[in-house]
Amino acid sequence: MIFSLLLVGELVLYCGEWVTPAPCQKWPLDQKEVYGMKKYEVMYIINESVETEKRAELIETLSKIITDNGGKIAKTDEWGMREFAYHIDDMKKGYYVVTAFEADNACVKEFDRLMGINANVVRFMITRDEAPAKGAK
């Protein structure tokens, strides 16, 4: 069965019948309202040679990428300078930052693309924060 939807004034043509939408329902529905934003967490390592002022600017710039694309920053946690378990591009240390945020897929794709381009970011990993299943132990 094919469903069709046509909005005319206050009436909606739905499956061949004219119906009035519920007063709380907005037409057309926004994709973010239907699917919602998902929770993510990103951990990235900033090159140790970046100065403190520039590092703060870089962290703010990376957070701004998320907010400019419709995401919301929940928390940013700076772990500080730590030694690597192994050398990465002849570096022994890096400045670790963890950011929790909510965003849609387009925002995450753009953030991933820009993180890969940035020369001051040594490594990064974006993970989806999934809620545990109900009844799971």
Side-chain angles (χ1 to χ4, degrees), residues 15-135:
C15 297
E17 295 182 32
W18 289 98
V19 295
T20 306
C24 64
Q25 195 167 12
K26 295 182 249 173
W27 296 90
L29 294 175
D30 185 20
Q31 183 177 1
K32 288 182 182 176
E33 292 177 21
V34 175
Y35 298 106
M37 294 196 296
K38 298 174 184 143
K39 294 182 179 182
Y40 294 92
E41 189 173 79
V42 60
M43 174 184 267
Y44 55 94
I45 306 169
I46 299 173
N47 191 331
E48 71 173 321
S49 64
V50 177
E51 297 173 3
T52 307
E53 298 85 24
K54 297 282 186 184
R55 186 183 314 130
E57 284 180 29
L58 179 61
I59 293 169
E60 189 172 326
T61 303
L62 295 174
S63 296
K64 194 170 178 344
I65 293 169
I66 294 169
T67 55
D68 286 350
N69 287 293
K72 298 175 186 172
I73 303 288
K75 172 175 92 166
T76 300
D77 190 17
E78 297 183 29
W79 287 10
M81 196 68 71
R82 294 180 176 228
E83 284 193 30
F84 297 147
Y86 53 90
H87 291 265
I88 301 174
D89 298 331
D90 295 326
M91 288 183 275
K92 297 178 182 179
K93 293 182 181 179
Y95 192 85
Y96 284 71
V97 180
V98 178
T99 301
F101 63 98
E102 292 182 28
D104 60 355
N105 291 341
C107 176
V108 175
K109 281 184 178 180
E110 180 65 9
F111 184 71
D112 184 48
R113 184 183 76 82
L114 293 174
M115 288 287 276
I117 293 171
N118 196 323
N120 291 323
V121 176
V122 179
R123 294 279 193 274
F124 70 97
M125 179 179 279
I126 303 171
T127 58
R128 186 162 161 212
D129 191 11
E130 304 230 2
K134 292 182 180 179

